[in-house]
C-alpha cells in the first residue's frame, strides 16, 4: 500500500498520493510518444501533475524510471542464493534464485516490460545501463557464491551463465504473448543451455545382416 507523500511548495502543504506510480506512468507515456531522448524531467513532472522537486525525490534522473527496481531484484536473488541448502550444487542454487524473481514479472506487467525493452533496444545510453545492471547482478551473485565456499573461477562462471540464461528468458517472456509464467521461460532457457553444453550421444552403427 502506497503512503501518500506531502510536498511543501510556497509554504503550502499539498498531498501527492501515489507520486512514484504517477511519475512512472507519465514517463513511460512520454517515452513512447516522443522518444526517450526528447523527453525531459520537466515534461514528466508536468504530465504527472507534480513538481520536478517531487520527481527528484523518487528518481535520480529520467533513466532511473526504467531501472529503479534493479536493487530490489538483486536483493531477492542474493537472498535466495544465500538461503539455499548448503548441499545444493552452485548452478542449481543460481537457477532457483532466478526463478524466485517471478513476482517481479507478473503477467499484468508484461506490456510495460515490453515497452521498456523496446526503449532500451532503441537507445544506446539505455543499452549501456542495462549491461551495467546485468554485470552488477552477476558480480553480486558471484560474491554470494564465494561466501558459500564456491571457489573461483567457478563462482564467476556460474553467475555469468545464470545471468545469460536469465537474459534470454526475459527476452522471450517479453516477446511472446503466451500466458506462461516468467519462471517457465527461465527454465526453458536453462534447458536450451543444457542442450547446447551436453555432449551429443554417439550414433550406434547399424549392424548389417549377412543374409546367411
Amino acid at each position: 500500500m502506497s503512503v501518500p507523500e506531502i510536498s511543501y511548495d510556497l509554504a503550502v502543504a499539498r498531498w501527492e498520493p501515489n507520486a512514484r506510480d504517477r511519475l512512472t506512468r507519465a514517463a513511460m507515456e512520454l517515452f513512447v510518444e516522443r522518444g526517450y531522448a526528447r523527453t525531459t524531467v520537466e515534461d514528466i513532472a508536468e504530465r504527472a501533475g507534480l513538481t520536478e522537486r517531487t520527481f527528484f525525490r523518487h528518481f535520480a534522473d529520467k533513466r532511473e524510471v526504467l531501472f529503479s527496481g534493479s536493487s530490489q531484484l538483486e536483493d531477492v536473488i542474493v537472498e535466495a542464493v544465500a538461503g539455499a541448502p548448503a548441499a545444493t550444487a552452485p548452478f542449481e542454487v543460481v537457477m532457483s534464485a532466478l526463478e524466485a524473481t517471478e513476482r517481479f514479472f507478473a503477467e499484468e506487467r508484461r506490456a510495460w516490460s515490453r515497452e521498456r525493452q523496446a526503449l532500451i533496444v532503441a537507445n544506446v545510453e539505455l543499452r549501456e545501463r542495462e549491461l551495467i545492471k546485468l554485470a552488477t547482478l552477476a558480480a553480486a551473485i558471484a560474491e554470494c557464491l564465494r561466501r558459500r565456499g564456491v571457489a573461483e573461477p567457478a563462482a564467476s562462471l556460474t553467475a555469468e551463465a545464470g545471468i545469460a540464461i536469465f537474459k534470454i528468458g526475459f527476452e522471450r517472456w517479453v516477446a511472446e504473448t503466451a500466458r506462461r509464467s516468467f519462471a517457465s521461460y527461465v527454465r526453458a532457457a536453462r534447458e536450451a543451455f543444457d542442450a547446447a553444453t551436453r555432449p551429443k550421444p554417439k550414433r550406434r552403427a547399424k549392424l548389417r545382416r549377412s543374409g546367411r
Side-chain angles (χ1 to χ4, degrees), residues 38 71 123 155 193 200:
R38 297 180 62 187
S71 59
N123 187 281
F193 177 84
K200 292 183 179 180

Side-chain angles (χ1 to χ4, degrees), residues 1 21 23 26 32-33 41 43 56 62 64 67 83 88 93-94 105 120 128 134 143 159 170 179 188 201-204:
M1 180 174 168
D21 290 343
L23 288 164
V32 172
E33 291 172 15
V41 169
D43 295 332
F56 287 116
K62 66 176 183 177
E64 288 308 305
F67 295 96
T88 309
V93 168
V94 173
F105 305 102
I120 290 172
E128 290 175 350
L134 293 174
E143 175 59 25
F170 175 78
R179 296 181 67 85
K202 294 181 179 179
R203 293 183 179 180
R204 292 183 178 179

Side-chain angles (χ1 to χ4, degrees), residues 6 31 39 42 48 67 76 96 120 129 138 140 147 172 188 200:
I6 303 176
F31 291 160
T39 299
E42 181 181 2
F67 295 96
V76 168
S96 295
I120 290 172
R129 180 65 179 84
R147 290 175 184 169
R172 288 290 184 87
K200 292 183 179 180

Side-chain angles (χ1 to χ4, degrees), residues 104-125:
F104 284 91
F105 305 102
E107 184 62 35
E108 58 268 22
R109 284 186 61 83
R110 196 188 301 219
W112 188 91
S113 297
R114 187 176 292 121
E115 289 181 348
R116 174 187 176 277
Q117 185 71 1
L119 287 166
I120 290 172
V121 170
N123 187 281
V124 173
E125 177 188 348

Side-chain angles (χ1 to χ4, degrees), residues 206-212:
K206 292 183 179 179
L207 296 176
R208 295 181 179 178
R209 295 182 179 179
S210 61
R212 293 179 181 176

